[in-house]
Amino acid sequence: MDDCRIEIDGEDFTAECEEITFATKRLVYEEDNGRSRMAFLGPAGFQLTLINPTDRARALVDDGAATRSVRIICSGNSITHPTRFLKEWTTTDGTRKVFGALAWDSDRDAKWVNEPQLAEA
C-alpha cells in the first residue's frame, strides 16, 4: 500500500519499512452436530506485517511482551489498534518480515479460573 503511513506509539514509522500489509480478519469457529458442520463468525482480529523493516522497526519484536498503539493511515482513512509485535523472520527469497497482531488481554482471555465455592459444593 504505497499511500499508507504507519505510526507506532505516536511516532511515524512509515520510512522504517519498504511496505506495510495489514488486515482485519475475522475468526471462524466450526462445530459438528453429527449431521452437518456449522460455522460461526467470531470477532475481528488485526494483523500487520512490515516488509523489509529497518533495525528500528525490528527492535519492536519482543514476542508480544509490550502492547503498542498502532495507527495506519491510508487514503484519508485511519485505523488504530493495540498491537503486539510477535515474530521476525526472513523468507527464502531474502525478504525480511516483522509480524504484529491485535493485542490480547490476558485478564480477559477465555480461560479457566478457580471457583472455590463450586469446589466446596
Side-chain angles (χ1 to χ4, degrees):
M1 306 229 164
D2 295 333
D3 64 339
C4 289
R5 292 188 358 249
I6 184 170
E7 295 175 356
I8 301 173
D9 290 339
E11 294 183 50
D12 191 343
F13 267 71
T14 306
E16 301 295 330
C17 60
E18 287 180 10
E19 183 182 349
I20 305 162
T21 63
F22 60 93
T24 53
K25 298 182 176 191
R26 290 191 171 267
L27 299 174
V28 175
Y29 302 94
E30 291 188 6
E31 278 295 326
D32 185 343
N33 67 5
R35 295 185 307 272
S36 62
R37 293 176 65 172
M38 300 173 286
F40 300 92
L41 192 60
F46 177 73
Q47 72 178 54
L48 168 68
T49 305
L50 306 178
I51 311 297
N52 288 324
T54 63
D55 289 342
R56 180 178 177 221
R58 291 174 51 215
L60 297 169
V61 178
D62 60 4
D63 292 325
T67 300
R68 302 181 184 279
S69 177
V70 170
R71 181 174 178 228
I72 298 172
I73 305 102
C74 289
S75 303
N77 298 303
S78 70
I79 186 169
T80 302
H81 272 292
T83 303
R84 291 192 175 161
F85 289 90
L86 304 169
K87 297 288 177 200
E88 170 192 0
W89 70 94
T90 302
T91 63
T92 56
D93 68 357
T95 302
R96 190 174 293 261
K97 296 185 177 187
V98 164
F99 178 78
L102 182 67
W104 61 89
D105 183 341
S106 61
D107 293 331
R108 293 191 313 207
D109 274 349
K111 62 182 177 182
W112 290 98
V113 295
N114 184 18
E115 296 285 351
Q117 69 273 17
L118 294 177
E120 295 170 3

